[in-house]
Amino acid sequence: MSIASFLSPATQESVAPPAEGVPLLEVRDLSVTFYTPRGTVRAVRHASFTVRRGEVLGLVGESGCGKSTVAFATLAYLPGTAEVGGSILFEGRDLMTMPAGELRDLRGSRIAMVYQDPGSALNPTMRVGEQVEEVLHTHLGLSGQAAEERAASLFESVGLPNPARVGRRFPHELSGGQQQRVVIAMALACEPDLLLMDEPTTGLDVTTEATILDLVAELKNRVNAGIVFVSHNLGVIARVADRVAVMYAGQVIEEAPVRELFANPSHPYTAGLLSCVPAPVNETGLMPQLRNIPGSVYPASEPNVDACLFADRCPMVQDICRESAPPEIVANAEGHPVRCFFPERVDSDTWGEPAPRPRKPRSTNEAPLLQVDGLHQYYGNDRKKYIFFGPPSRRPVRANVDVDFAIQPGRTLGIVGESGSGKSTAARSIAGLERRTSGEVLLDGEPLAAGVGDRPRGQQSKVRMVFQNPAASLNPRLPIGSVLVRSIRKSRSVGKAEARGIAVELLESVGLDGGYMDRRPRELSGGQQQRVALAAAFAADPELIIADEAVSALDVSVQAQVLNLIAERQRREGTAFMFITHDLGVVRYISDDILVLYGGHVVETGPAEAVLRPPWSPYTEALLSAAPVPDPDAEPSRIRLEGAVPTLRQPFAGCPFAGRCPRNLGDLCDNTPPPMRVDPADPRHQILCHIPLEELAADQRAAMRGRSAVGEAPGGR
Amino acid sequence: MARFLLLRLGLIVVTLLVISFAVFGVTEVLPGDVATQILGQGATPENIAVVRERLGLDDPWPVRYLSWVGGVVRGDLGESLVQRLPITEMVGSRLVNSLILASFTFFVAMPIAVAVGIWAGVHRNSLGDRLASMFSLVAISLPEFVTGVVLIILFSTTLGWLPSSSLVEPGTNPLTRPQILVLPALTLTGVMFAYVMRMTRANVIEVLETNYVRSAILKGLPMRRVIWRHVVPNAMLPTISVITLNIGWLLGGLIIVENVFSYPGIGRMLLTSIQTRDMPLLQALALLIAATYAVSNLFADLAYTWLNPRIRFA
């Protein structure tokens, strides 16, 4: 059943044909200001763009640039304290002055939205079917069986498994990707004319993200709607957008067709964003150093000034940029608007030549710093149905099963896998935050106790951990200086004054000056907080730093700063890193060795350059294939994984990946544990698979033929 | 579900055992001798010894505890020392009276409190919301015996609309004269109403800020449906826990209110039993109140489970 047939005759009549030449959506000089008790927030300062029917406008920028506010303003959904300037015209009618009743009729029926974090966008106590049916009921007057049937065909059209039954599920019974499909089905229910997608794949696994992006790309052709796609991820934007508007500090600073924008950015900020994303591996297998945009986004708390808001971070800033605001002018022969005085000067070297990274000395024969053998980590105990008797109802979660790896001094081990693969568990076990169930862990040849409290002080300060959310790991009441001084004095016997001196040096080493000593964490931006967290980890002069998704929540420009900081530290002090991330671009940039985990098992391990070339384990292949490429001309990759990492309560009968593997051989894979195969080209490279490696490599090379190059797929998350 | 029920029932048994032990311990250390109490101040030591012997008061405490618990398990709560009647018989009608008053309060006050809370949460910072908050603050701060007396002065002494005491004639049931229930129920309502209403209001405000309510609004649903279908069910989850806590309040409040209004319920009986050192009766009543509390908690948990699909199947 096609979506078009969902429109009842009544609705079709009510759709007045828009006047000729009027764009579907026209945002004209929009400004949104929030007056809050903590100050004035200028979320949007100057945003102008149009969206036509049948096209996807990508809205890109770092956090705090006002992208989401623009999206919500388009549904006239802003808190009462917001002051809106300019206009948002939907088919020529201003949404800001529309009566509430008419607005309600538009919402959900002609303008619909898909949100970031689908888990929170769905009512947890309501079956998902009913959540879709209520839209059909409100706008199309459908109820009962008719509504149920249409909900089912909507579920089918967004690729949900078992569409007739899935409506009976509650949101928590669905995976993140399935939840997002439900939200999309809900948005499509009345065949909207305008679809707003606010970071719809942020927070989902790369594999899930890829399947959702496929769906969006398919929708683009199927429904004749205009789509506004908000994302901070250039790879994602490149995959789905037709045109792109780049936002900075609440302004649209550049707008261009997607190919034009990626090939020929005309604003230094756009060029900067593009050069912050970890780039493909070059011939030597070593990535050039990441360039970064210094500083952080012009704060929304600052007033509008008559100057370019990017001036403080711009490498080609001139006096005029600080004296007057650049008008929106036509940049070049292609004629795309850009808010800069010197658009013609922007090119790929605006942010400097990519400097080759100094090669690290190979140290393969050195004794490993950390040696992990047979690490098992189980959570929970066996439970029986009737407490003391009855069949077993719940087994422990097998988060890590027989994980082996080693880290050489001064090298970085990248650990990748989807959520639920056991990456963070491994990190927490090594750090001693969780007591491992079994396995041997040696640090410098000395056994490392399971719990951090049982380790001698010397060992404690040798291993440090940095977490994803710096705001949550820094004590909000302590000034930055005290955090650092504590950390220093815990591991070294120095006086207070001396410790403060070291603390200032540490802050400077992470690019913050001594003035930050007396600030509290909440006065700092996310990137600054993460640098403080790193400085606190450095304070103990550790030999190993475990970074669990330490750059995942940061904007690309800040992510580049932090990654370079880590690389720098490693080169100077020889610190080893265990770097956990779901972003393959980051892993490729930072890792010397890579460990791929799936369902708590190691499925591939080896030196980075070997792991990133075929043969891959089928899981690694799927991960690489799913990562979005910041290149609009890249062919959509071919391998898609549906579903999520399976429950880890049951031991796997065969290969852990068998249930989702596109190369599954059948009975063998399902029921016999696969061998760990050794790559003859490099014996440190090992793959858990039933398929012989020569065969895997041949198949994978054949599958890639015609595609640009080997695994050039950095994600820019 | 079977597992859940089994676990909870097991826990109730353990709770009651612990409580029985505590109650027994407390009555042991209470000053005053039962035999003296029964025989009066002028009793001879011989007579007292005889009475103590007959009541088994000289047995070591573990023996007395076990025989008491054994009786309770068999459904025999023992015999009142003062009235010389089986406690099971004495308590019956009193318990019914108390339950009538408690349910009357509960089923009138709770829906109104929840409704006002929802209204105040949705119309946050409106005049009505401020009035409701102010009223509830006053109600929370006043203890039952003050509210009760104020209500008596207002509605019976001054206006003469309602009776000041809520005596029930023997052999009848409070429902034959429901007007006697109004003042005690109103008194009991005060504190509970305030807690539940404020909690509901806070939860409604919190749920209104969630992303799924935003989705519901942006689906173009009428506000009525957003409130009743999306906000209220989710706001009720934490409210139920508060209501459960209030059952404890209600049972405690009963003791005070029944005495203020001379209402023949177990609360009044409890006080009398303390005054007359009627230990078996006191023990039985304390255990009964604890059991009521535990069972009502179980029901509240079941309601919570039923409303919350995330733990319904766990």
Side-chain angles (χ1 to χ4, degrees):
Chain A
M1 186 187 245
S2 85
I3 297 283
S5 65
F6 289 168
L7 290 172
S8 69
T11 329
Q12 273 170 345
E13 273 162 35
S14 71
V15 177
E20 211 47 51
V22 174
L24 181 66
L25 176 73
E26 185 176 6
V27 175
R28 257 190 229 153
D29 204 21
L30 178 72
S31 66
V32 180
T33 310
F34 299 110
Y35 296 98
T36 71
R38 300 187 64 184
T40 305
V41 177
R42 290 178 177 77
V44 181
R45 297 174 199 261
H46 289 286
S48 300
F49 58 85
T50 58
V51 181
R52 286 179 286 270
R53 208 171 260 283
E55 77 166 356
V56 179
L57 176 81
L59 210 51
V60 74
E62 295 178 281
S63 50
C65 283
K67 311 179 298 285
S68 293
T69 310
V70 169
F72 283 106
T74 308
L75 275 161
Y77 185 79
L78 295 169
T81 57
E83 188 185 276
V84 182
S87 55
I88 301 178
L89 306 174
F90 177 68
E91 292 180 342
R93 302 186 54 209
D94 194 344
L95 291 167
M96 288 300 149
T97 57
M98 194 176 273
E102 282 179 53
L103 199 57
R104 196 163 58 226
D105 289 342
L106 280 186
R107 286 174 174 170
S109 103
R110 303 201 55 211
I111 308 179
M113 188 151 177
V114 175
Y115 314 85
Q116 179 175 0
D117 190 8
S120 75
L122 292 169
N123 185 338
T125 59
M126 202 166 159
R127 296 180 197 277
V128 295
E130 195 186 345
Q131 301 193 42
V132 173
E133 285 156 32
E134 65 180 355
V135 183
L136 298 167
H137 180 76
T138 303
H139 296 295
L140 305 180
L142 293 179
S143 53
Q145 184 149 16
E148 231 167 272
E149 278 170 16
R150 289 189 178 190
S153 39
L154 278 164
F155 288 145
E156 190 173 9
S157 76
V158 295
L160 276 167
N162 206 349
R165 304 284 314 268
V166 75
R168 301 280 307 152
R169 303 291 202 91
F170 284 98
H172 72 276
E173 299 174 278
L174 303 175
S175 70
Q178 290 172 333
Q179 288 172 344
Q180 193 58 292
R181 282 169 197 272
V182 169
V183 174
I184 294 174
M186 212 155 77
L188 294 177
C190 301
E191 206 193 28
D193 298 290
L194 180 63
L195 192 57
L196 306 168
M197 307 189 103
D198 182 20
E199 303 266 12
T201 60
T202 307
L204 302 177
D205 273 317
V206 263
T207 49
T208 314
E209 174 176 79
T211 60
I212 296 288
L213 291 180
D214 285 347
L215 176 63
V216 175
E218 187 225 334
L219 287 179
K220 186 161 105 177
N221 303 324
R222 190 171 72 196
V223 303
N224 185 30
I227 300 179
V228 177
F229 193 103
V230 176
S231 180
H232 68 279
N233 185 333
L234 290 161
V236 168
I237 289 285
R239 170 97 169 80
V240 296
D242 299 312
R243 276 188 311 126
V244 182
V246 183
M247 287 195 74
Y248 182 78
Q251 299 179 325
V252 171
I253 49 114
E254 181 167 10
E255 189 198 319
V258 64
R259 286 195 173 73
E260 164 74 11
L261 187 97
F262 279 82
N264 185 16
S266 296
H267 194 286
Y269 178 62
T270 315
L273 280 184
L274 287 169
S275 59
C276 285
V277 179
V281 197
N282 63 20
E283 290 308 303
T284 62
L286 202 69
M287 255 194 226
Q289 184 151 14
L290 279 185
R291 288 159 294 176
N292 65 61
I293 307 176
S296 50
V297 176
Y298 186 78
S301 54
E302 294 293 314
N304 291 321
V305 289
D306 197 19
C308 174
L309 298 183
F310 189 62
D312 286 342
R313 302 173 80 188
C314 185
M316 40 182 256
V317 61
Q318 306 287 322
D319 287 345
I320 183 175
C321 303
R322 301 189 195 276
E323 287 156 7
S324 58
E328 212 167 302
I329 51 173
V330 169
N332 49 21
E334 285 80 7
H336 73 250
V338 58
R339 203 179 283 275
C340 180
F341 286 112
F342 312 105
E344 67 285 350
R345 293 193 200 164
V346 176
D347 59 27
S348 62
D349 288 335
T350 300
W351 294 87
E353 293 268 344
R357 272 202 295 174
R359 211 174 242 287
K360 277 180 232 167
R362 276 231 168 271
S363 57
T364 45
N365 294 328
E366 217 171 311
L369 172 69
L370 182 79
Q371 174 86 46
V372 178
D373 279 313
L375 175 68
H376 287 76
Q377 179 79 57
Y378 293 1
Y379 292 116
N381 296 316
D382 273 334
R383 282 222 294 195
K384 294 203 165 65
K385 193 166 178 192
Y386 303 108
I387 307 169
F388 296 117
F389 53 93
S393 66
R394 188 180 277 190
R395 294 185 179 282
V397 172
R398 301 154 54 91
N400 277 168
V401 181
D402 202 13
V403 172
D404 301 337
F405 61 88
I407 304 179
Q408 311 291 332
R411 288 170 74 86
T412 300
L413 174 75
I415 303 187
V416 287
E418 290 164 281
S419 45
S421 59
K423 312 186 291 287
S424 291
T425 300
R428 297 176 66 84
S429 297
I430 305 299
L433 296 177
E434 310 274 359
R435 306 181 70 91
R436 59 182 180 266
T437 310
S438 66
E440 197 184 15
V441 181
L442 299 176
L443 182 75
D444 272 339
E446 305 271 317
L448 206 54
V452 69
D454 302 336
R455 297 178 185 173
R457 172 125 326 164
Q459 274 188 340
Q460 283 179 4
S461 58
K462 278 184 186 171
V463 181
R464 286 280 155 193
M465 191 152 174
V466 179
F467 299 89
Q468 171 164 10
N469 184 350
S473 54
L474 293 172
N475 185 336
R477 301 193 176 276
L478 278 188
I480 303 303
S482 313
V483 174
L484 296 177
V485 167
R486 266 188 193 190
S487 229
I488 293 164
R489 297 195 62 193
K490 258 198 164 149
S491 54
R492 297 177 230 184
S493 47
V494 290
K496 255 206 166 131
E498 199 182 336
R500 271 192 84 83
I502 300 174
V504 172
E505 277 171 37
L506 278 169
L507 274 180
E508 281 164 0
S509 79
V510 297
L512 300 172
D513 60 63
Y516 283 90
M517 289 285 283
D518 299 318
R519 303 247 211 132
R520 276 165 222 279
R522 69 177 145 77
E523 297 170 52
L524 274 56
S525 70
Q528 289 170 334
Q529 288 174 350
Q530 194 60 293
R531 280 187 267 176
V532 170
L534 272 172
F538 295 158
D541 216 358
E543 292 179 10
L544 173 67
I545 292 181
I546 301 171
D548 188 1
E549 300 278 9
V551 299
S552 306
L554 305 179
D555 280 316
V556 275
S557 67
V558 181
Q559 174 180 303
Q561 293 167 13
V562 173
L563 288 178
N564 285 339
L565 195 71
I566 288 173
E568 164 89 20
R569 171 82 188 187
Q570 186 159 51
R571 217 170 25 246
R572 270 207 335 260
E573 308 283 336
T575 316
F577 279 84
M578 182 170 154
F579 204 92
I580 288 147
T581 176
H582 63 272
D583 186 331
L584 290 155
V586 168
V587 158
R588 169 178 300 147
Y589 180 68
I590 199 135
S591 307
D592 301 301
D593 301 286
I594 295 179
L595 183 76
V596 185
L597 289 179
Y598 183 83
H601 294 255
V602 176
V603 294
E604 183 165 358
T605 174
E609 55 283 10
V611 171
L612 292 170
R613 290 197 187 108
W616 296 302
S617 95
Y619 181 59
T620 314
E621 184 185 15
L623 280 181
L624 288 169
S625 178
V629 191
D631 172 7
D633 291 317
E635 272 178 54
S637 43
R638 53 232 139 75
I639 300 166
R640 288 293 178 261
L641 293 186
E642 284 295 344
V645 177
T647 168
L648 304 175
R649 292 189 187 277
Q650 295 290 336
F652 295 103
C655 172
F657 189 49
R660 295 166 80 200
C661 183
R663 296 186 184 277
N664 188 322
L665 301 176
D667 186 52
L668 178 66
C669 293
D670 291 336
N671 294 315
T672 314
M676 190 56 108
R677 293 185 185 273
V678 178
D679 186 352
D682 186 341
R684 289 168 304 159
H685 182 207
Q686 299 180 356
I687 293 176
L688 187 77
C689 194
H690 278 296
I691 306 171
L693 299 189
E694 310 80 66
E695 208 176 301
L696 260 183
D699 278 4
Q700 285 163 345
R701 289 213 176 82
M704 280 191 320
R705 209 164 292 143
R707 294 191 66 213
S708 39
V710 178
E712 290 184 350
R717 294 167 68 112
Chain B
M1 203 64 215
R3 191 193 145 84
F4 174 75
L5 266 181
L6 216 70
L7 204 72
R8 289 305 309 261
L9 287 173
L11 270 178
I12 287 183
V13 170
V14 173
T15 311
L16 290 182
L17 269 178
V18 171
I19 287 173
S20 73
F21 203 76
V23 166
F24 185 82
V26 168
T27 53
E28 281 295 289
V29 299
L30 267 186
D33 179 56
V34 183
T36 321
Q37 194 79 23
I38 292 172
L39 297 174
Q41 288 299 324
T44 62
E46 291 76 29
N47 286 348
I48 289 178
V50 170
V51 170
R52 287 187 67 88
E53 165 82 48
R54 229 189 27 237
L55 295 175
L57 292 179
D58 290 328
D59 291 341
W61 69 265
V63 172
R64 281 179 290 129
Y65 175 72
L66 285 179
S67 83
W68 174 56
V69 168
V72 171
V73 170
R74 289 194 308 272
D76 173 17
L77 292 174
E79 193 176 82
S80 160
L81 291 181
V82 179
Q83 296 205 27
R84 305 260 144 208
L85 288 169
I87 292 171
T88 326
E89 279 173 30
M90 289 168 61
V91 165
S93 69
R94 293 293 194 112
L95 186 64
V96 169
N97 287 351
S98 281
L99 284 180
I100 287 173
L101 177 57
S103 335
F104 187 78
T105 311
F106 190 79
F107 290 106
V108 173
M110 285 304 112
I112 297 177
V114 167
V116 172
I118 292 170
W119 188 90
V122 172
H123 300 92
R124 183 183 179 181
N125 294 337
S126 65
L127 181 67
D129 174 34
R130 281 164 209 264
L131 282 178
S133 292
M134 216 158 66
F135 171 77
S136 67
L137 209 65
V138 171
I140 283 185
S141 351
L142 286 180
E144 284 96 339
F145 52 84
V146 177
T147 339
V149 172
V150 168
L151 287 176
I152 289 176
I153 292 173
L154 192 66
F155 288 101
S156 67
T157 341
T158 314
L159 293 169
W161 291 353
L162 294 160
S164 66
S165 80
S166 306
L167 288 168
V168 178
E169 281 162 45
T172 66
N173 162 318
L175 291 177
T176 53
R177 284 175 67 217
Q179 66 268 33
I180 62 163
L181 287 173
V182 176
L183 285 185
L186 216 57
T187 311
L188 276 176
T189 303
V191 172
M192 270 173 54
F193 176 88
Y195 272 120
V196 173
M197 176 264 167
R198 288 173 79 87
M199 192 66 191
T200 311
R201 174 183 180 271
N203 291 330
V204 164
I205 287 171
E206 200 181 309
V207 172
L208 277 171
E209 307 267 297
T210 60
N211 286 348
Y212 55 85
V213 169
R214 182 184 68 191
S215 320
I217 294 171
L218 294 183
K219 282 198 277 191
L221 301 181
M223 212 49 204
R224 211 171 354 100
R225 185 170 171 91
V226 173
I227 302 290
W228 287 107
R229 198 60 196 86
H230 292 270
V231 176
V232 171
N234 288 294
M236 285 315 290
L237 287 178
T239 310
I240 286 179
S241 326
V242 175
I243 293 180
T244 318
L245 278 178
N246 269 285
I247 295 175
W249 263 101
L250 184 63
L251 294 172
L254 272 180
I255 299 172
I256 297 166
V257 168
E258 286 180 0
N259 281 294
V260 171
F261 290 93
S262 315
Y263 183 84
I266 48 167
R268 211 157 146 234
M269 199 177 212
L270 187 79
L271 200 65
T272 319
S273 71
I274 295 171
Q275 284 158 354
T276 57
R277 299 286 179 278
D278 194 343
M279 293 311 158
L281 183 60
L282 175 60
Q283 288 166 350
L285 288 173
L287 204 59
L288 205 63
I289 291 172
T292 316
Y293 186 58
V295 170
S296 55
N297 256 305
L298 175 64
F299 278 111
D301 278 359
L302 286 176
Y304 187 90
T305 315
W306 177 74
L307 264 180
N308 189 349
R310 268 170 298 190
I311 59 170
R312 191 185 303 169
F313 310 104

